Amino acid sequence: MKNSKTIVISTLILFAAIVGLVLFLNREDETAQETEQTASSKGHPSIEGQPTLGEAEAPISIVEFGDYKCPSCKQWGEIVYPKLTEDYINTGKAKFSYINVLFHGEESVLAALASESVYKQDPENFWAFHKAVFDAQPATQEHDNPWITVDKMKEIAAQTAPNVDLAQLETDLNTEGTPLAEEVSKDDGLVQEYNVPFTPTIMIDGVMLEDPFDYEKITSLIEKGSEANE
């Protein structure tokens, strides 16, 4: 009888030790994940001079590093961006900025230059142009085929940004060493500085998301940031 009681007690102690170890390891894993998420933060990129949507005084700053040739950027703009706009940008909780990435070569550069020209000439209609360029992106299986051309950018600008001088836009796209080219170069510098690994890369107050489509994480970061600013 005494031996049976000893066995039961030993078993309970062992079970408690196992449960404690499991809880400890789970907590370690959660801490590691939180540390990894925080460790990706190198401070928030400057949005001075960048196209920015929302109230200037909004407490949370969201940045998309995007490429007009990127199919995932188009998908993000169709799936995540509308919810983000409705929940946080239109409500004044966050502002949203776009920084050009040049991962797809000459076409990425051409689209970036076009976006800078439109933003300079007709900032109020920049976002309509921005969306229309992504809408014009062909099906995924064809996205590597050349489609961003001077004529295509002029066509989209004519449809979405009525205050743009199309002759000036063409000049901006065909002339090297312009101030707009310097703006694109500045964007590329930010991409290098923040080690942007893929497009779209989303940063919220300096924290780089591992999964830009994780809206639950986006919400969590914004809400935590809002609470901290209260």
Side-chain angles (χ1 to χ4, degrees):
M1 188 73 174
K2 184 177 180 180
N3 289 339
S4 297
K5 185 179 293 186
T6 301
I7 292 172
V8 170
I9 293 172
S10 299
T11 301
L12 290 174
I13 292 173
L14 179 61
F15 178 76
I18 292 173
V19 170
L21 179 61
V22 169
L23 291 174
F24 175 78
L25 291 175
N26 283 342
R27 179 57 188 160
E28 285 284 293
D29 184 60
E30 291 175 3
T31 302
Q33 290 179 6
E34 292 173 1
T35 301
E36 183 179 2
Q37 185 72 35
T38 304
S40 66
S41 172
K42 297 180 60 179
H44 199 63
S46 171
I47 60 172
E48 183 180 356
Q50 303 292 356
T52 299
L53 188 64
E55 297 180 10
E57 301 304 319
I60 306 299
S61 179
I62 304 168
V63 166
E64 176 190 357
F65 286 91
D67 189 324
Y68 289 107
K69 278 279 288 184
C70 166
S72 293
C73 295
K74 177 179 181 178
Q75 186 181 26
W76 190 88
E78 294 170 345
I79 297 174
V80 179
Y81 176 75
K83 293 190 292 184
L84 190 64
T85 301
E86 181 179 357
D87 295 342
Y88 296 107
I89 299 171
N90 289 347
T91 59
K93 292 183 177 180
K95 51 183 173 284
F96 176 82
S97 304
Y98 184 82
I99 296 176
N100 289 296
V101 180
L102 312 176
F103 285 169
H104 291 273
E106 291 183 7
E107 285 184 272
S108 298
V109 174
L110 190 63
L113 284 169
S115 73
E116 295 288 354
S117 180
V118 170
Y119 179 59
K120 180 180 179 181
Q121 295 191 60
D122 192 0
E124 290 185 4
N125 290 303
F126 168 82
W127 294 103
F129 172 84
H130 173 86
K131 181 179 184 301
V133 175
F134 279 117
D135 288 345
Q137 189 183 113
T140 301
Q141 63 268 26
E142 301 174 357
H143 89 277
D144 284 333
N145 296 332
W147 63 275
I148 296 177
T149 64
V150 172
D151 286 343
K152 187 64 176 179
M153 295 298 97
K154 289 173 61 180
E155 175 188 329
I156 295 174
Q159 295 170 348
T160 59
N163 296 320
V164 167
D165 181 331
L166 297 180
Q168 180 61 53
L169 174 60
E170 184 168 357
T171 297
D172 291 338
L173 297 180
N174 286 313
T175 306
E176 296 183 1
T178 66
L180 296 182
E182 293 177 6
E183 290 297 321
V184 172
S185 179
K186 182 176 76 173
D187 284 4
D188 188 50
L190 290 171
V191 171
Q192 304 303 321
E193 179 181 351
Y194 287 88
N195 298 318
V196 172
F198 50 74
T199 51
T201 284
I202 305 301
M203 294 186 72
I204 300 175
D205 279 353
V207 178
M208 185 180 292
L209 272 71
E210 296 177 2
D211 179 4
F213 290 89
D214 186 351
Y215 196 69
E216 183 177 344
K217 185 64 181 179
I218 290 173
T219 296
S220 173
L221 288 171
I222 293 174
E223 295 297 340
K224 286 180 181 177
S226 297
E227 292 173 3
N229 288 319
E230 288 181 353

PDB file of all heavy atoms in Angstrom, residues 121-139:
ATOM      1  N   GLN A 121       3.115  66.496 -60.084  1.00  0.00           N
ATOM      2  CA  GLN A 121       2.233  67.348 -60.873  1.00  0.00           C
ATOM      3  C   GLN A 121       0.788  67.389 -60.365  1.00  0.00           C
ATOM      4  O   GLN A 121       0.116  68.411 -60.459  1.00  0.00           O
ATOM      5  CB  GLN A 121       2.222  66.875 -62.336  1.00  0.00           C
ATOM      6  CG  GLN A 121       3.540  67.011 -63.063  1.00  0.00           C
ATOM      7  CD  GLN A 121       3.359  66.771 -64.550  1.00  0.00           C
ATOM      8  OE1 GLN A 121       2.601  67.492 -65.220  1.00  0.00           O
ATOM      9  NE2 GLN A 121       4.034  65.760 -65.081  1.00  0.00           N
ATOM     10  N   ASP A 122       0.320  66.263 -59.841  1.00  0.00           N
ATOM     11  CA  ASP A 122      -1.100  66.161 -59.480  1.00  0.00           C
ATOM     12  C   ASP A 122      -1.258  65.286 -58.233  1.00  0.00           C
ATOM     13  O   ASP A 122      -1.806  64.182 -58.297  1.00  0.00           O
ATOM     14  CB  ASP A 122      -1.890  65.561 -60.657  1.00  0.00           C
ATOM     15  CG  ASP A 122      -3.392  65.694 -60.483  1.00  0.00           C
ATOM     16  OD1 ASP A 122      -3.828  66.254 -59.462  1.00  0.00           O
ATOM     17  OD2 ASP A 122      -4.125  65.216 -61.371  1.00  0.00           O
ATOM     18  N   PRO A 123      -0.753  65.762 -57.085  1.00  0.00           N
ATOM     19  CA  PRO A 123      -0.752  64.933 -55.880  1.00  0.00           C
ATOM     20  C   PRO A 123      -2.126  64.459 -55.432  1.00  0.00           C
ATOM     21  O   PRO A 123      -2.258  63.370 -54.866  1.00  0.00           O
ATOM     22  CB  PRO A 123      -0.096  65.839 -54.823  1.00  0.00           C
ATOM     23  CG  PRO A 123      -0.220  67.227 -55.364  1.00  0.00           C
ATOM     24  CD  PRO A 123      -0.168  67.088 -56.848  1.00  0.00           C
ATOM     25  N   GLU A 124      -3.161  65.254 -55.699  1.00  0.00           N
ATOM     26  CA  GLU A 124      -4.502  64.863 -55.270  1.00  0.00           C
ATOM     27  C   GLU A 124      -4.994  63.611 -55.986  1.00  0.00           C
ATOM     28  O   GLU A 124      -5.815  62.868 -55.449  1.00  0.00           O
ATOM     29  CB  GLU A 124      -5.485  66.008 -55.504  1.00  0.00           C
ATOM     30  CG  GLU A 124      -5.277  67.195 -54.574  1.00  0.00           C
ATOM     31  CD  GLU A 124      -6.337  68.249 -54.753  1.00  0.00           C
ATOM     32  OE1 GLU A 124      -7.272  68.017 -55.560  1.00  0.00           O
ATOM     33  OE2 GLU A 124      -6.249  69.290 -54.087  1.00  0.00           O
ATOM     34  N   ASN A 125      -4.503  63.394 -57.198  1.00  0.00           N
ATOM     35  CA  ASN A 125      -4.953  62.227 -57.965  1.00  0.00           C
ATOM     36  C   ASN A 125      -3.886  61.127 -58.038  1.00  0.00           C
ATOM     37  O   ASN A 125      -4.039  60.170 -58.806  1.00  0.00           O
ATOM     38  CB  ASN A 125      -5.348  62.665 -59.378  1.00  0.00           C
ATOM     39  CG  ASN A 125      -6.629  63.484 -59.373  1.00  0.00           C
ATOM     40  OD1 ASN A 125      -7.670  63.030 -58.898  1.00  0.00           O
ATOM     41  ND2 ASN A 125      -6.559  64.702 -59.881  1.00  0.00           N
ATOM     42  N   PHE A 126      -2.840  61.275 -57.227  1.00  0.00           N
ATOM     43  CA  PHE A 126      -1.782  60.263 -57.246  1.00  0.00           C
ATOM     44  C   PHE A 126      -2.323  58.869 -56.958  1.00  0.00           C
ATOM     45  O   PHE A 126      -1.972  57.893 -57.645  1.00  0.00           O
ATOM     46  CB  PHE A 126      -0.682  60.603 -56.243  1.00  0.00           C
ATOM     47  CG  PHE A 126       0.261  59.444 -56.021  1.00  0.00           C
ATOM     48  CD1 PHE A 126       1.301  59.199 -56.901  1.00  0.00           C
ATOM     49  CD2 PHE A 126       0.076  58.569 -54.945  1.00  0.00           C
ATOM     50  CE1 PHE A 126       2.152  58.110 -56.724  1.00  0.00           C
ATOM     51  CE2 PHE A 126       0.928  57.485 -54.759  1.00  0.00           C
ATOM     52  CZ  PHE A 126       1.962  57.263 -55.646  1.00  0.00           C
ATOM     53  N   TRP A 127      -3.163  58.748 -55.936  1.00  0.00           N
ATOM     54  CA  TRP A 127      -3.591  57.416 -55.514  1.00  0.00           C
ATOM     55  C   TRP A 127      -4.489  56.746 -56.554  1.00  0.00           C
ATOM     56  O   TRP A 127      -4.498  55.521 -56.671  1.00  0.00           O
ATOM     57  CB  TRP A 127      -4.275  57.485 -54.149  1.00  0.00           C
ATOM     58  CG  TRP A 127      -3.300  57.881 -53.083  1.00  0.00           C
ATOM     59  CD1 TRP A 127      -3.168  59.102 -52.487  1.00  0.00           C
ATOM     60  CD2 TRP A 127      -2.261  57.061 -52.534  1.00  0.00           C
ATOM     61  NE1 TRP A 127      -2.135  59.105 -51.590  1.00  0.00           N
ATOM     62  CE2 TRP A 127      -1.555  57.863 -51.584  1.00  0.00           C
ATOM     63  CE3 TRP A 127      -1.873  55.743 -52.725  1.00  0.00           C
ATOM     64  CZ2 TRP A 127      -0.479  57.373 -50.850  1.00  0.00           C
ATOM     65  CZ3 TRP A 127      -0.788  55.251 -51.993  1.00  0.00           C
ATOM     66  CH2 TRP A 127      -0.112  56.054 -51.068  1.00  0.00           C
ATOM     67  N   ALA A 128      -5.211  57.552 -57.323  1.00  0.00           N
ATOM     68  CA  ALA A 128      -6.009  56.979 -58.418  1.00  0.00           C
ATOM     69  C   ALA A 128      -5.075  56.414 -59.489  1.00  0.00           C
ATOM     70  O   ALA A 128      -5.305  55.316 -60.024  1.00  0.00           O
ATOM     71  CB  ALA A 128      -6.931  58.045 -59.011  1.00  0.00           C
ATOM     72  N   PHE A 129      -4.014  57.145 -59.796  1.00  0.00           N
ATOM     73  CA  PHE A 129      -3.014  56.668 -60.748  1.00  0.00           C
ATOM     74  C   PHE A 129      -2.336  55.412 -60.210  1.00  0.00           C
ATOM     75  O   PHE A 129      -2.164  54.415 -60.926  1.00  0.00           O
ATOM     76  CB  PHE A 129      -1.975  57.766 -61.002  1.00  0.00           C
ATOM     77  CG  PHE A 129      -0.790  57.321 -61.816  1.00  0.00           C
ATOM     78  CD1 PHE A 129      -0.851  57.299 -63.202  1.00  0.00           C
ATOM     79  CD2 PHE A 129       0.388  56.919 -61.196  1.00  0.00           C
ATOM     80  CE1 PHE A 129       0.241  56.878 -63.962  1.00  0.00           C
ATOM     81  CE2 PHE A 129       1.481  56.507 -61.942  1.00  0.00           C
ATOM     82  CZ  PHE A 129       1.407  56.480 -63.327  1.00  0.00           C
ATOM     83  N   HIS A 130      -1.941  55.456 -58.962  1.00  0.00           N
ATOM     84  CA  HIS A 130      -1.277  54.343 -58.279  1.00  0.00           C
ATOM     85  C   HIS A 130      -2.092  53.059 -58.414  1.00  0.00           C
ATOM     86  O   HIS A 130      -1.577  52.007 -58.802  1.00  0.00           O
ATOM     87  CB  HIS A 130      -1.101  54.739 -56.805  1.00  0.00           C
ATOM     88  CG  HIS A 130      -0.586  53.674 -55.910  1.00  0.00           C
ATOM     89  ND1 HIS A 130       0.755  53.419 -55.748  1.00  0.00           N
ATOM     90  CD2 HIS A 130      -1.237  52.805 -55.086  1.00  0.00           C
ATOM     91  CE1 HIS A 130       0.925  52.450 -54.870  1.00  0.00           C
ATOM     92  NE2 HIS A 130      -0.272  52.060 -54.447  1.00  0.00           N
ATOM     93  N   LYS A 131      -3.366  53.151 -58.102  1.00  0.00           N
ATOM     94  CA  LYS A 131      -4.239  51.975 -58.184  1.00  0.00           C
ATOM     95  C   LYS A 131      -4.398  51.508 -59.619  1.00  0.00           C
ATOM     96  O   LYS A 131      -4.401  50.293 -59.908  1.00  0.00           O
ATOM     97  CB  LYS A 131      -5.614  52.294 -57.585  1.00  0.00           C
ATOM     98  CG  LYS A 131      -6.589  51.112 -57.603  1.00  0.00           C
ATOM     99  CD  LYS A 131      -7.904  51.502 -56.964  1.00  0.00           C
ATOM    100  CE  LYS A 131      -8.843  50.289 -56.902  1.00  0.00           C
ATOM    101  NZ  LYS A 131      -9.135  49.699 -58.221  1.00  0.00           N
ATOM    102  N   ALA A 132      -4.517  52.454 -60.534  1.00  0.00           N
ATOM    103  CA  ALA A 132      -4.739  52.099 -61.942  1.00  0.00           C
ATOM    104  C   ALA A 132      -3.534  51.373 -62.538  1.00  0.00           C
ATOM    105  O   ALA A 132      -3.696  50.486 -63.387  1.00  0.00           O
ATOM    106  CB  ALA A 132      -5.061  53.350 -62.758  1.00  0.00           C
ATOM    107  N   VAL A 133      -2.335  51.725 -62.101  1.00  0.00           N
ATOM    108  CA  VAL A 133      -1.149  51.016 -62.598  1.00  0.00           C
ATOM    109  C   VAL A 133      -1.192  49.553 -62.153  1.00  0.00           C
ATOM    110  O   VAL A 133      -0.940  48.641 -62.945  1.00  0.00           O
ATOM    111  CB  VAL A 133       0.153  51.698 -62.113  1.00  0.00           C
ATOM    112  CG1 VAL A 133       1.370  50.867 -62.541  1.00  0.00           C
ATOM    113  CG2 VAL A 133       0.267  53.105 -62.683  1.00  0.00           C
ATOM    114  N   PHE A 134      -1.529  49.329 -60.901  1.00  0.00           N
ATOM    115  CA  PHE A 134      -1.648  47.950 -60.427  1.00  0.00           C
ATOM    116  C   PHE A 134      -2.794  47.222 -61.139  1.00  0.00           C
ATOM    117  O   PHE A 134      -2.677  46.038 -61.473  1.00  0.00           O
ATOM    118  CB  PHE A 134      -1.849  47.907 -58.920  1.00  0.00           C
ATOM    119  CG  PHE A 134      -0.568  48.045 -58.139  1.00  0.00           C
ATOM    120  CD1 PHE A 134      -0.366  49.120 -57.296  1.00  0.00           C
ATOM    121  CD2 PHE A 134       0.438  47.100 -58.254  1.00  0.00           C
ATOM    122  CE1 PHE A 134       0.814  49.250 -56.584  1.00  0.00           C
ATOM    123  CE2 PHE A 134       1.627  47.219 -57.548  1.00  0.00           C
ATOM    124  CZ  PHE A 134       1.818  48.291 -56.709  1.00  0.00           C
ATOM    125  N   ASP A 135      -3.905  47.924 -61.371  1.00  0.00           N
ATOM    126  CA  ASP A 135      -5.032  47.304 -62.079  1.00  0.00           C
ATOM    127  C   ASP A 135      -4.631  46.892 -63.491  1.00  0.00           C
ATOM    128  O   ASP A 135      -5.165  45.912 -64.034  1.00  0.00           O
ATOM    129  CB  ASP A 135      -6.216  48.274 -62.147  1.00  0.00           C
ATOM    130  CG  ASP A 135      -6.899  48.461 -60.809  1.00  0.00           C
ATOM    131  OD1 ASP A 135      -6.663  47.644 -59.896  1.00  0.00           O
ATOM    132  OD2 ASP A 135      -7.663  49.445 -60.656  1.00  0.00           O
ATOM    133  N   ALA A 136      -3.699  47.631 -64.086  1.00  0.00           N
ATOM    134  CA  ALA A 136      -3.278  47.345 -65.459  1.00  0.00           C
ATOM    135  C   ALA A 136      -2.300  46.175 -65.532  1.00  0.00           C
ATOM    136  O   ALA A 136      -2.006  45.679 -66.632  1.00  0.00           O
ATOM    137  CB  ALA A 136      -2.619  48.585 -66.073  1.00  0.00           C
ATOM    138  N   GLN A 137      -1.819  45.752 -64.388  1.00  0.00           N
ATOM    139  CA  GLN A 137      -0.870  44.627 -64.365  1.00  0.00           C
ATOM    140  C   GLN A 137      -1.544  43.379 -64.921  1.00  0.00           C
ATOM    141  O   GLN A 137      -2.634  43.020 -64.496  1.00  0.00           O
ATOM    142  CB  GLN A 137      -0.415  44.384 -62.919  1.00  0.00           C
ATOM    143  CG  GLN A 137       0.719  43.399 -62.791  1.00  0.00           C
ATOM    144  CD  GLN A 137       1.088  43.142 -61.336  1.00  0.00           C
ATOM    145  OE1 GLN A 137       0.895  42.039 -60.836  1.00  0.00           O
ATOM    146  NE2 GLN A 137       1.600  44.156 -60.647  1.00  0.00           N
ATOM    147  N   PRO A 138      -0.906  42.690 -65.877  1.00  0.00           N
ATOM    148  CA  PRO A 138      -1.534  41.511 -66.489  1.00  0.00           C
ATOM    149  C   PRO A 138      -1.556  40.321 -65.538  1.00  0.00           C
ATOM    150  O   PRO A 138      -1.030  40.382 -64.421  1.00  0.00           O
ATOM    151  CB  PRO A 138      -0.631  41.229 -67.697  1.00  0.00           C
ATOM    152  CG  PRO A 138       0.690  41.821 -67.331  1.00  0.00           C
ATOM    153  CD  PRO A 138       0.394  43.011 -66.469  1.00  0.00           C
ATOM    154  N   ALA A 139      -2.172  39.244 -65.995  1.00  0.00           N
ATOM    155  CA  ALA A 139      -2.273  38.032 -65.196  1.00  0.00           C
ATOM    156  C   ALA A 139      -0.890  37.567 -64.757  1.00  0.00           C
ATOM    157  O   ALA A 139       0.113  37.816 -65.434  1.00  0.00           O
ATOM    158  CB  ALA A 139      -2.968  36.929 -66.002  1.00  0.00           C
TER     159      ALA A 139
END
